[in-house]
Amino acid sequence: MANELMDRRQDWLDSLVGDDFFKNFGKQFFAMSPETDNMMQTDVKETDQAYQLTVDLPGLEKKDIHIDYQNETLKISAKRDSFDDHSDADGNVVQSERHYGRFSRQFYLPAVDRTKISAKYDNGVLNLELPKQAEQSTAANRIEIQ
């Protein structure tokens, strides 16, 4: 439904202005954060023994990523500060793009053995392994009344 509404808005804008300059104005104007739309794309896999997450975090340094597990919730947060300068041969700036910001994701992952969580960050991909706690006995535990 959201895509349908965005397409209608774009069609309306296209019909008003045929100029290519305004072609994607609606999509960019109404997007929450065009630069970070694809940040933290995550795959979550659950096995009997653990949760395994693969998170895409391209262009970040390990020091800018923070991971926390509390109250059965995994929180991954990061910050990005970058500057891309595109100059011509004479040093004149042709294009300049700056991307700044903080972003985070949270995942409810119950019954994790927090002492055995492991994380590895390599080539823009964060891999997390969250082992589950050992099964607790669900058998009834009859208590005698004295």
Side-chain angles (χ1 to χ4, degrees):
M1 173 124 172
N3 287 337
E4 202 173 287
L5 290 173
M6 186 60 75
D7 289 343
R8 284 188 198 153
R9 184 177 301 122
Q10 187 62 41
D11 291 343
W12 176 76
L13 287 168
D14 287 346
S15 68
L16 283 178
V17 186
D19 191 353
D20 285 339
F21 177 77
F22 293 102
K23 197 74 168 164
N24 289 318
F25 178 74
K27 289 181 181 175
Q28 291 175 356
F29 181 77
F30 293 104
M32 291 300 284
S33 177
E35 293 84 17
T36 59
D37 276 348
N38 295 322
M39 296 306 296
M40 282 204 200
Q41 291 183 347
T42 306
D43 296 330
V44 181
K45 180 180 177 184
E46 180 179 9
T47 66
D48 291 338
Q49 294 80 31
Y51 298 101
Q52 299 165 342
L53 284 81
T54 304
V55 186
D56 290 342
L57 295 168
L60 293 177
E61 293 184 34
K62 186 169 61 170
K63 67 179 179 63
D64 294 328
I65 303 169
H66 181 75
I67 307 165
D68 184 43
Y69 183 80
Q70 187 175 9
N71 299 325
E72 297 190 332
T73 302
L74 176 73
K75 181 178 181 182
I76 306 168
S77 58
K79 70 174 185 165
R80 175 185 301 273
D81 297 321
S82 68
F83 175 75
D84 295 327
D85 181 10
H86 303 278
S87 303
D88 64 9
D90 297 326
N92 298 317
V93 176
V94 176
Q95 175 185 345
S96 177
E97 295 182 357
R98 292 170 179 83
H99 302 285
Y100 301 94
R102 296 180 181 275
F103 44 96
S104 66
R105 300 258 335 246
Q106 294 185 19
F107 302 91
Y108 176 73
L109 302 170
V112 168
D113 184 349
R114 54 188 315 140
T115 63
K116 296 181 181 176
I117 296 173
S118 64
K120 181 180 178 187
Y121 183 68
D122 189 34
N123 291 325
V125 178
L126 175 65
N127 289 295
L128 292 158
E129 174 97 12
L130 292 90
K132 293 182 179 179
Q133 293 175 345
E135 294 271 339
Q136 295 180 356
S137 175
T138 57
N141 202 11
R142 182 168 167 81
I143 300 172
E144 294 293 325
I145 301 173
Q146 294 181 7

